[in-house]
Amino acid sequence: MLPLEGVRVIEFCEVAAGPFCGMLLADMGADVIKVERLEGDGMRQWPPLSEGYSENFASVNRNKRSVTLDLKNPKDLQMARELVRSADAVIENYRPGVMARNGLDYATLSKDQPDLVYASISAFGQTGPRSQQGGFDLTLQAIAGVMSVTGDAGGAPVKCGVPLCDFVSGLYGAFSVVCGLMKVREKKGGGHFDISMLGATLAVAALQTSQYFGTGVDPVKLGSAHPRNAPYQAFRAADGWFALAAGNNRLWAQVCDIVKLPDLINDPRFTSPAMRAKNQEALRDILETVFQLEPKAVWLERFGNAGVPSGEINTYSEALADPQVDHLGLVQPLELPGGHRTRTVISPLLMSGENIGIRRNPPALGAHTEEVFASLRVAAAQ
């Protein structure tokens, strides 16, 4: 039995942050009903399309049911309110004010449902000088400082290749809903959680913000290097790159032994993690002179045998083919509406040693409208 079985969540969300939040709850057993516009979540049009169905959309919408409603239509709006009355939680990621205009905001709904848990995900939060501004992952990475520490020193601004802001906001949203459900279970009523992408992105940048608070100096781009530790970055071998993270003095001594440069241990530039970080450009040049004498596989084998954390720099096809990914059962088959079979990465959590699998394939647009509202009519008749 999954932890959130018996919990109903209504999702008024599009694209990434909100749908990812909903999927996390659905993975844990919640009945997540996704309310879509008649034309559907815009992400349904994102390529790659397999027999007309977006694999991007599928990746964040499994285990859900889909209903379609036109919230500009009074009848459909009333149906949405009836749907919410059947629910334990609502999640939404529209611009602040949109849900209120439809009478679907927390202040309105909670008058009749004091135990309702409500999570709003937006770019900048529900109030404040930026609250009415829209935002996407790129712009939030820029505004929240991520792009200032991403890429090589002196290089052009670069975003993180994974949509960090969207997905950490979704994680905070799911965490909020579960905390709210715990509060309701303790007979303390529901509540409204306001999750800003700006706040979530700053929160997961704890090491960077604390560096600034502690020194008064902005963190800077270091490529793959670390501001407080070395060797801790990507290095070039004879045939390509690999990553090495010798994060303490014991591991550093192992590196010195493997590269056959024992004198580096007592070199005053490299006697501590802080000193190695301070002088890491010189350290990189010394190590790469040796690393370029052998292929990366040789170095990875040597470091692996010595217990020094290191790794190949994989493409996603290589990462997904890693034997540990197979052992964890992370990649599972997924069937799209229309019968096309693809694959997806499932929840990475194991519960009592078992994968949390796929109960429902991602839905066709409005596939469950009749089913969901028929069940509400039955419940009302009883």
Side-chain angles (χ1 to χ4, degrees), residues 11 13-16 19-20 23 34 36 40-49 53-62 64-66 334 336-337 344 361-366:
E11 176 192 305
C13 299
E14 293 203 19
V15 186
F20 183 62
M23 187 181 72
K34 182 180 182 72
E36 300 189 65
D41 182 336
M43 200 180 198
R44 286 185 178 272
Q45 307 307 316
W46 289 19
L49 301 176
Y53 197 93
S54 169
E55 300 230 9
N56 275 185
F57 177 85
S59 71
V60 292
N61 285 286
R62 62 172 176 259
K64 301 178 186 177
R65 298 194 282 173
S66 168
L334 185 71
L336 304 182
T344 195
N361 290 313
L365 177 61

Side-chain angles (χ1 to χ4, degrees), residues 2-4 9-34 41 43 53-65 91-93 121 166-167 169-171 173-175 177-178 330 334 343-349 356-363:
L2 292 170
L4 296 181
V9 178
I10 310 304
E11 176 192 305
F12 295 93
C13 299
E14 293 203 19
V15 186
F20 183 62
C21 170
M23 187 181 72
L24 294 177
L25 299 169
D27 282 348
M28 283 295 174
D31 176 20
V32 176
I33 299 173
K34 182 180 182 72
D41 182 336
M43 200 180 198
Y53 197 93
S54 169
E55 300 230 9
N56 275 185
F57 177 85
S59 71
V60 292
N61 285 286
R62 62 172 176 259
N63 290 330
K64 301 178 186 177
R65 298 194 282 173
I91 56 175
E92 61 93 7
N93 71 342
I121 302 174
D166 278 326
F167 286 87
S169 302
L171 280 165
F175 173 68
V177 170
V178 172
L330 291 175
L334 185 71
R343 295 181 297 161
T344 195
V345 176
I346 63 168
S347 171
L349 304 178
I356 298 169
I358 301 169
R359 305 186 318 285
R360 291 179 180 272
N361 290 313

Side-chain angles (χ1 to χ4, degrees), residues 29 43 67 75 79 91 103 141 189 197 205 220 273 289 313 350 364 380:
M43 200 180 198
V67 304
K75 180 181 176 182
M79 291 171 69
I91 56 175
Q141 286 198 35
M197 292 171 69
V220 297
T289 299
I313 297 174
L350 296 177

